[in-house]
Amino acid sequence: MRREELDQSSPSYDHQINEIVDRLFEGSDDKVKENKVELILNPDPAFFEKRVVVHFHPYFEPLKPYVRQWWATLLLGYRYRGEEFYNIHDHILRILDKAIIKISQDTVEDDQAKQAELDRRRLHKERRLATFRPQYSTTPPSSPLSLINTPPHRHGSYRDDQDSPLAAKRRRKKLHK
């Protein structure tokens, strides 16, 4: 499921976030390579922070220190071809293990961000399911009098419909008791 900010039809669409995702993940191979090389070779330590970390969704706030640590490890390995380069997986796994332990120990959760994410998922699900629901006409009646003589419309409810085959069966059953 994609972030709402990446959906161009969403009111919360964010062109800047969409551009970052395209630049670093979804663009052409050459474009992604060019942008990642730029991140790695840029001498400014705050460059990664400004280009990537500040755009994290608030839900992932607790992961930012570990992403920064991960990035620093990658830079050491790729810039200097040091020990980190040859054992990069071990270093990254250690960072991930620390993150899992720390986050699982934290009992205080960001309830607001969690609730917002759950609401977003529920809304997304409802929108998707709406495409499968029957569409009823919203044409207004031709005159106000037609509303008076029209029984209330029930959506798929046969229990109260006296003309339904099920209602007739129930009536026969009651008579035979």
Side-chain angles (χ1 to χ4, degrees):
M1 187 178 315
R2 296 185 66 162
R3 281 178 64 169
E4 216 173 73
E5 295 91 339
L6 297 174
D7 182 7
Q8 291 182 353
S9 62
S10 171
S12 59
Y13 173 72
D14 186 337
H15 179 72
Q16 188 178 15
I17 297 271
N18 194 28
E19 188 177 302
I20 291 166
V21 169
D22 185 59
R23 213 176 336 155
L24 296 174
F25 303 105
E26 295 180 355
S28 68
D29 290 344
D30 291 336
K31 183 178 183 179
V32 170
K33 178 182 175 185
E34 179 183 317
N35 284 291
K36 288 186 179 182
V37 166
E38 179 186 16
L39 278 173
I40 290 171
L41 297 180
N42 192 302
D44 181 10
F47 189 68
F48 177 72
E49 184 78 24
K50 290 182 227 168
R51 292 293 285 277
V52 178
V53 179
V54 296
H55 299 289
F56 276 32
H57 191 279
Y59 182 80
F60 297 105
E61 189 68 33
L63 294 177
K64 282 184 177 182
Y66 301 103
V67 170
R68 289 182 191 109
Q69 205 174 0
W70 186 333
W71 183 248
T73 304
L74 287 174
L75 288 181
L76 278 174
Y78 287 115
R79 280 187 186 165
Y80 305 109
R81 300 282 183 184
E83 184 263 338
E84 291 82 7
F85 180 77
Y86 299 104
N87 296 312
I88 195 81
H89 294 97
D90 293 334
H91 292 290
I92 300 305
L93 288 174
R94 260 194 304 281
I95 292 169
L96 292 173
D97 288 341
K98 283 194 295 187
I100 290 168
I101 290 169
K102 174 71 172 130
I103 290 170
S104 65
Q105 288 174 347
D106 289 345
T107 55
V108 179
E109 295 181 18
D110 186 359
D111 290 335
Q112 187 177 9
K114 184 177 178 181
Q115 189 59 48
E117 176 62 15
L118 291 173
D119 291 344
R120 184 189 69 79
R121 289 180 184 183
R122 182 182 45 74
L123 181 64
H124 180 75
K125 180 181 175 184
E126 288 173 5
R127 285 181 184 158
R128 295 295 180 222
L129 289 176
T131 60
F132 298 106
R133 291 191 186 111
Q135 303 296 317
Y136 297 104
S137 174
T138 57
T139 307
S142 56
S143 76
L145 293 178
S146 65
L147 289 175
I148 296 170
N149 299 325
T150 306
H153 180 69
R154 298 185 188 272
H155 299 280
S157 174
Y158 293 106
R159 181 171 283 289
D160 299 326
D161 187 359
Q162 298 301 318
D163 296 328
S164 75
L166 189 57
K169 186 177 179 180
R170 278 198 209 104
R171 280 195 302 274
R172 275 184 262 137
K173 211 176 195 181
K174 283 183 182 179
L175 289 176
H176 292 295
K177 285 186 179 184

